[in-house]
């Protein structure tokens, strides 16, 4: 199984893969997540977000998790909509944020200022490979 997260000790950066790393999706642009410049999104051709770069304190949150290989889970909303979810811990969500170019990918924070990143929910299930995300 491919890892969903990596951490580069030399650069002090983490990465969360939303697609298989070896599939070489073309990055069309890179942009910061609104309200948290430590989260940088790699947008792709034919796929909303290829992966998520984490910097600074945000990156340190996944340093130990990268070796544990956390995986996404599949859930269903009260309306019957499926989604994929990845949590770094079990803290309560106090704020969620989307990027204007990927509104069906929700970034979750345990604080109202969006400094304490705790996970993501992907509601665009058609763009992502369930066998990679879930395993």
């Amino acid at each position: 199984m491919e890892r969903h997260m990596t951490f580069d000790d030399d650069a002090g950066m983490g990465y969360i893969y939303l697609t298989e790393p070896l599939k070489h999706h073309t990055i069309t642009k890179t942009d910061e997540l609104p309200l948290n410049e430590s989260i940088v999104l790699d947008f792709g051709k034919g796929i909303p977000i290829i992966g998520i770069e984490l910097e600074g304190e945000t990156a340190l949150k996944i340093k130990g998790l990268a070796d544990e290989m956390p995986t996404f889970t599949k859930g269903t909303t009260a309306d019957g909509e499926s989604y994929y979810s990845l949590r770094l811990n079990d803290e309560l969500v106090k704020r969620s944020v989307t990027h204007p170019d990927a509104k069906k990918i929700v970034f979750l924070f345990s604080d109202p200022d969006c400094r304490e990143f705790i996970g993501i929910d992907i509601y665009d299930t058609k763009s992502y490979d369930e066998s990679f995300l879930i395993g």
Side-chain angles (χ1 to χ4, degrees):
M1 169 186 269
E2 294 284 341
R3 294 188 331 169
H4 294 105
M5 293 183 211
T6 58
F7 185 83
D8 183 332
D9 281 310
D10 294 332
M13 293 184 68
Y15 199 82
I16 299 174
Y17 295 90
L18 302 185
T19 63
E20 291 182 61
L22 299 177
K23 285 211 172 172
H24 301 295
H25 292 279
T26 302
I27 295 174
T28 57
K29 78 173 184 173
T30 300
D31 196 10
E32 294 174 351
L33 181 69
L35 304 176
N36 189 322
E37 66 283 346
S38 296
I39 299 175
V40 180
L41 311 175
D42 289 334
F43 291 87
K45 184 177 182 177
I47 192 161
I49 297 176
I50 294 171
I52 304 161
E53 299 173 30
L54 305 172
E55 302 171 347
E57 292 295 319
T58 305
L60 293 176
K61 292 181 181 300
I62 72 162
K63 184 175 182 175
L65 296 177
D67 293 332
E68 294 176 19
M69 289 184 47
T71 60
F72 286 79
T73 59
K74 189 172 185 177
T76 306
T77 66
D79 297 335
E81 180 181 15
S82 294
Y83 65 96
Y84 303 117
S85 184
L86 177 71
R87 295 291 187 276
L88 304 181
N89 58 47
D90 59 358
E91 293 181 37
L92 291 176
V93 176
K94 293 193 178 165
R95 186 151 187 199
S96 58
V97 175
T98 61
H99 188 282
D101 295 336
K103 292 184 180 181
K104 293 190 113 188
I105 299 176
V106 181
F107 296 81
L108 309 169
F109 298 89
S110 64
D111 69 309
D113 297 327
C114 298
R115 295 285 135 218
E116 299 299 324
F117 176 67
I118 59 172
I120 59 172
D121 287 340
I122 301 172
Y123 291 90
D124 181 3
T125 57
K126 292 180 182 167
S127 295
Y128 292 94
D129 181 359
E130 183 173 316
S131 65
F132 171 70
L133 294 177
I134 304 295

